[in-house]
């Protein structure tokens, strides 16, 4: 699952014999955009606790949730400058650096979460991490959020044609843009921190998010319809500043590695549990207020969405976009 060094073999830890007792203190700032009570937020908090324990306080981990420190648009630059040491942006946020990570945004590409994990843990996942490492970051782990659902304040989204003309907020992603163009909708890129007010004020009509992001940011309170569609996946790549990684003595690099491995294992479970738990809370809200209608798709309706949106795959066969080998490699992963 994890890194085998800071991605810079030449100067790998040549001065890393320092011990926990004698060496300097380090501060690791971890910036993310979601609430603390999400899979990413809780895993980040767990990582903080574990790394501080393992390093016996030599690394002070500071987690900044809810875009307090950086939005996703700014965080990768900040990480390069070592102004922040760790982040876990959604895959599409790497668009300018490694657009191929948008593989994970392709709708209906994965049969289920186990298939997705096999892709991440296998050859395709390793290739993608190597691309990020080549760009001067330390690619650590893939973290889940989960599958996305559609929501709207304008019209229930049951068939693809229902999306026609609706303004959908999307992350900055060519794949998501193509996905909504494929159903005649009007995609609008917007940072996560602006989605609530965008929905509330009607700047956008609709959105796609996993349940935990909907629940913790109260998007369901500013939408009338929620469609359980599981049409696409939202996940993250945890990245570490290379400069920071190289500055750590070997024993502390090991601690980072161990804390990250443990956090990653926990994160997958948290993602499954929180999305279930928070779905029930949204359902309670819908039942008690009557202000939200939750729609479940039949197999035929789901198939209609799949047919409408999966035709975009060939648009991304170019290696500078995603690449046919990666897309077919993911589809063929057993
Ligand atoms: C989004 O912008 O919708 C997501 O990237 C937010 C997140 O980090 O889950």
């Amino acid at each position: 699952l994890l890194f085998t060094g800071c991605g810079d073999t030449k100067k790998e830890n040549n001065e890393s014999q320092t011990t926990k007792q004698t060496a300097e203190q380090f501060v690791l700032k971890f910036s993310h955009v979601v609430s603390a009570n999400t899979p990413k937020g809780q895993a980040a908090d767990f990582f903080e606790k574990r790394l501080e324990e393992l390093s016996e306080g030599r690394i002070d981990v500071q987690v900044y949730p809810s875009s307090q420190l950086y939005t996703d648009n700014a965080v990768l630059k900040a990480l390069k400058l070592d102004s922040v040491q760790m982040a876990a942006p959604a895959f599409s946020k790497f668009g300018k650096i490694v657009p191929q990570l948008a593989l994970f945004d392709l709708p209906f590409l994965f049969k289920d979460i186990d298939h997705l994990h096999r892709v991440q843990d296998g050859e395709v996942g390793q290739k993608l991490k190597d691309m990020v490492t080549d760009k001067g970051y330390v690619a650590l782990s893939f973290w889940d959020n989960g599958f996305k659902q559609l929501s709207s304040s304008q019209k229930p989204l049951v068939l693809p044609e229902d999306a026609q003309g609706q303004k959908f907020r999307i992350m900055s992603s060519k794949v998501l843009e193509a996905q909504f163009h494929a159903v005649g909708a009007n995609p609008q890129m917007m940072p996560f921190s602006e989605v609530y007010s965008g929905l509330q004020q009607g700047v956008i009509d609709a959105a796609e998010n996993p349940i935990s992001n909907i629940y913790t940011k109260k998007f369901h309170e500013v939408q009338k319809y929620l469609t359980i569609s599981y049409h696409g996946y939202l996940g993250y790549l945890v990245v570490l500043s290379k400069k920071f990684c190289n500055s750590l003595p070997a024993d502390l690099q090991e601690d980072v590695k161990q804390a990250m491995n443990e956090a990653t294992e926990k994160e997958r479970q948290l993602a499954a549990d929180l999305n279930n738990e928070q779905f029930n809370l949204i359902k309670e809200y819908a039942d008690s207020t009557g202000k939200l209608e939750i729609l479940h798709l039949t197999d035929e309706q789901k198939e209609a969405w799949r047919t409408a949106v999966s035709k975009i795959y060939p648009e991304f066969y170019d290696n500078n976009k995603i690449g046919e080998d990666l897309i077919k490699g993911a589809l063929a992963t057993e």
Side-chain angles (χ1 to χ4, degrees):
L1 279 176
L2 231 222
F3 78 132
T4 46
C6 302
D8 189 355
T9 41
K10 283 190 289 311
K11 54 186 285 229
E12 199 77 52
N13 303 322
N14 37 13
E15 279 143 55
S16 32
Q17 301 320 315
T18 26
T19 65
K20 286 180 185 172
Q21 287 72 32
T22 58
E24 57 184 301
Q25 299 275 328
F26 297 86
V27 175
L28 186 163
K29 291 188 191 161
F30 186 159
S31 167
H32 68 80
V33 301
V34 290
S35 295
N37 189 26
T38 53
K40 177 161 60 180
Q42 290 204 7
D45 291 348
F46 173 87
F47 174 79
E48 170 180 355
K49 191 165 154 274
R50 264 317 265 149
L51 184 55
E52 289 181 349
E53 264 167 27
L54 288 167
S55 70
E56 295 165 12
R58 300 256 340 278
I59 302 181
D60 172 17
V61 182
Q62 302 172 359
V63 179
Y64 296 88
S66 289
S67 314
Q68 278 167 23
L69 204 55
Y70 292 103
T71 63
D72 277 331
N73 293 338
V75 80
L76 285 168
K77 237 182 242 161
L79 204 66
K80 201 65 178 266
L81 298 170
D82 197 39
S83 312
V84 64
Q85 287 68 44
M86 192 174 270
F91 297 119
S92 64
K93 313 284 173 72
F94 291 82
K96 291 208 175 80
I97 300 164
V98 179
Q100 292 81 359
L101 274 171
L103 173 80
F104 295 112
D105 289 338
L106 285 169
F108 295 105
L109 190 73
F110 303 100
K111 287 192 228 36
D112 51 33
I113 198 81
D114 293 333
H115 174 213
L116 177 115
H117 287 157
R118 289 194 299 276
V119 172
Q120 291 185 335
D121 299 342
E123 205 182 309
V124 168
Q126 193 54 50
K127 264 193 204 158
L128 290 165
K129 277 189 191 170
D130 290 347
M131 289 180 188
V132 175
T133 304
D134 287 348
K135 297 284 178 180
Y137 297 88
V138 184
L140 297 180
S141 295
F142 293 119
W143 280 7
D144 282 338
N145 190 317
F147 289 95
K148 292 177 287 187
Q149 322 296 353
L150 296 165
S151 64
S152 169
S153 55
Q154 216 192 63
K155 195 173 168 191
L157 295 157
V158 177
L159 286 169
E161 44 270 36
D162 297 327
Q164 254 167 40
Q166 293 204 46
K167 280 191 228 145
F168 276 85
R169 177 269 172 169
I170 54 164
M171 298 183 276
S172 53
S173 158
K174 296 280 179 232
V175 167
L176 300 178
E177 199 171 24
Q179 167 190 283
F180 283 116
H181 279 150
V183 294
N186 181 1
Q188 314 256 320
M189 291 187 189
M190 188 180 273
F192 188 65
S193 52
E194 291 170 24
V195 178
Y196 181 87
S197 61
L199 290 171
Q200 190 185 36
Q201 290 161 20
V203 176
I204 41 171
D205 306 308
E208 54 163 14
N209 286 283
I211 290 295
S212 71
N213 281 357
I214 296 174
Y215 178 73
T216 54
K217 291 295 178 203
K218 299 188 171 27
F219 297 156
H220 58 293
E221 296 183 10
V222 285
Q223 295 275 257
K224 289 199 193 113
Y225 309 101
L226 174 65
T227 303
I228 303 307
S229 54
Y230 293 106
H231 61 284
Y233 167 79
L234 178 73
Y236 314 107
L237 178 62
V238 188
V239 274
L240 182 67
S241 145
K242 187 163 165 177
K243 187 169 173 201
F244 176 79
C245 188
N246 275 320
S247 75
L248 291 178
D251 59 340
L252 291 186
Q253 283 189 9
E254 274 307 307
D255 292 342
V256 170
K257 182 171 166 175
Q258 188 179 331
M260 183 50 57
N261 271 338
E262 290 179 25
T264 298
E265 205 178 309
K266 202 173 175 61
E267 210 272 347
R268 285 188 175 174
Q269 193 56 48
L270 280 166
D273 293 348
L274 283 176
N275 278 306
N276 275 335
E277 244 169 62
Q278 293 172 346
F279 173 73
N280 291 331
L281 296 170
I282 292 178
K283 194 167 175 321
E284 266 170 34
Y285 165 88
D287 292 345
S288 64
T289 64
K291 287 184 183 163
L292 176 77
E293 189 181 339
I294 302 179
L295 303 128
H296 294 271
L297 300 178
T298 63
D299 289 347
E300 289 75 25
Q301 288 160 347
K302 202 161 173 181
E303 213 37 50
W305 283 95
R306 181 197 303 279
T307 308
V309 294
S310 57
K311 65 177 184 231
I312 68 168
Y313 298 176
E315 287 178 42
F316 297 91
Y317 281 174
D318 184 316
N319 285 342
N320 294 318
K321 293 183 175 163
I322 295 176
E324 189 170 0
D325 56 333
L326 289 174
I327 296 174
K328 295 205 168 148
L331 283 168
T333 299
E334 295 285 330

